[in-house]
Amino acid sequence: MAPWGYEKDNGPAHWHKDCPIANGKNQSPIDLINGEVKYDSGLKPLTAKYVPFSDAKFLNNGHSVQFQPSAGNGSELTGGPLAVKYNFEQFHFHWGNNDTEGSEHRVDGKMYPAELHFVHWNSTNPSFKDAVGSGGPNGLAVLGFFLKVGAENAALKPITDLIPKVKDAGTSVTVPSNFDMQAILPATLTDYYTYDGSLTTPPLAECVKWIVFKQPLEVSAAQMEAFRSVINRDGKPMGGNYRPPCPLHDRAVKTSFK
Ligand SMILES: Cc1ccnc(S(N)(=O)=O)n1
Ligand SMILES: [Zn+2]
């Protein structure tokens, strides 16, 4: 099979051939149906501490654009549904070719124009790779933020301004060291959905504690257009790099809000 992608001949419907877990019972993304979620008063607030990065890259890996600091940067996530500290690994995006599609998770069937994933790994593992392979839903913790079109997002501007420099697959740039990742996050990380799921791209490992925030972040139309100018490994616009929702099976989606 050609390397996996989102086209007709290598998209999500094909992934099960190389990754049979694609048809597993704990796959992501899912449609977050408000009538079926359950408030959990035991969910604590989440704390994310992102420290300045000395040498971080912003890159086009052929299926997304991704911010990746050097390993062991010291940024970490605790609280919420998490029992231990998780180390920050990278963030990346999924988006559509128009404003009616692009997010991976949906809310009552609604898609947002894009979704931002902050990936963290369970610090009881020696590395990110070990955490992915650790088995069970506590290997990674991924924060999902919906993006909607509105005001310019000043915190993401240093990243969206770099997009023209990583237009082609396999390109990367160094991110200015004064980039403040903490500023991307809302002041308080409240009101989220959480459930046990998987990576949404191959290898689709079922190792993720998903934490999807109810409140979307805003980006400007110009920032959305920047994403839509990115080219994938097949030389086509990367937009549409989202997996459709997977069956919930017998999983519960909990909320930190009523
Ligand atoms: C690190 C990683 C790999 C694959 N997929 C994801 S995702 N889209 O589930 O966050 N993250
Ligand atoms: Zn993702």
Side-chain angles (χ1 to χ4, degrees):
M1 172 174 115
W4 64 270
Y6 295 90
E7 312 291 337
K8 195 114 192 67
D9 65 344
N10 65 3
H14 292 270
W15 293 353
H16 70 96
K17 287 175 272 184
D18 276 352
C19 304
I21 197 67
N23 295 319
K25 296 203 178 302
N26 301 285
Q27 290 290 293
S28 295
I30 60 172
D31 187 356
L32 299 160
I33 298 171
N34 283 307
E36 296 175 8
V37 302
K38 185 166 168 38
Y39 169 62
D40 178 350
S41 59
L43 285 171
K44 302 176 187 59
L46 268 159
T47 304
K49 177 176 67 72
Y50 296 127
V51 298
F53 304 99
S54 49
D55 58 335
K57 293 272 181 252
F58 185 59
L59 56 96
N60 175 336
N61 58 23
H63 54 86
S64 187
V65 287
Q66 184 166 304
F67 172 84
Q68 181 111 28
S70 48
N73 137 274
S75 296
E76 54 198 37
L77 178 70
T78 53
L82 306 174
V84 298
K85 183 181 77 171
Y86 284 68
N87 298 317
F88 174 69
E89 174 70 16
Q90 51 106 323
F91 69 70
H92 64 271
F93 301 83
H94 304 262
W95 63 92
N97 290 311
N98 62 66
D99 289 349
T100 67
E101 56 160 40
S103 64
E104 298 215 290
H105 291 90
R106 304 184 188 190
V107 179
D108 293 337
K110 171 194 167 74
M111 261 194 271
Y112 285 86
E115 188 169 330
L116 163 54
H117 290 158
F118 281 71
V119 179
H120 308 75
W121 53 276
N122 184 317
S123 61
T124 62
N125 297 277
S127 74
F128 163 76
K129 226 167 136 55
D130 292 287
V132 171
S134 61
N138 300 311
L140 302 185
V142 182
L143 304 184
F145 292 94
F146 295 119
L147 302 187
K148 72 175 190 183
V149 177
E152 178 178 84
N153 190 309
L156 277 172
K157 190 169 187 307
I159 294 297
T160 52
D161 282 350
L162 291 175
I163 288 177
K165 296 185 186 326
V166 293
K167 180 182 167 74
D168 296 318
T171 55
S172 73
V173 288
T174 300
V175 179
S177 57
N178 62 350
F179 168 59
D180 176 7
M181 195 173 111
Q182 191 81 43
I184 298 172
L185 301 184
T188 55
L189 294 175
T190 56
D191 290 4
Y192 56 82
Y193 303 85
T194 185
Y195 76 97
D196 293 348
S198 74
L199 302 175
T200 66
T201 69
L204 302 172
E206 295 187 338
C207 63
V208 182
K209 182 69 74 183
W210 275 98
I211 299 165
V212 181
F213 289 90
K214 179 179 163 198
Q215 190 65 34
L217 303 178
E218 290 192 19
V219 292
S220 66
Q223 287 176 299
M224 266 319 303
E225 282 315 305
F227 286 110
R228 295 182 183 136
S229 71
V230 178
I231 301 301
N232 67 17
R233 71 157 75 83
D234 303 324
K236 297 195 178 115
M238 193 178 278
N241 60 343
Y242 60 90
R243 189 188 192 190
C246 304
L248 186 60
H249 291 296
D250 51 359
R251 290 179 283 177
V253 178
K254 297 198 182 127
T255 60
S256 67
F257 61 93
K258 288 188 179 141

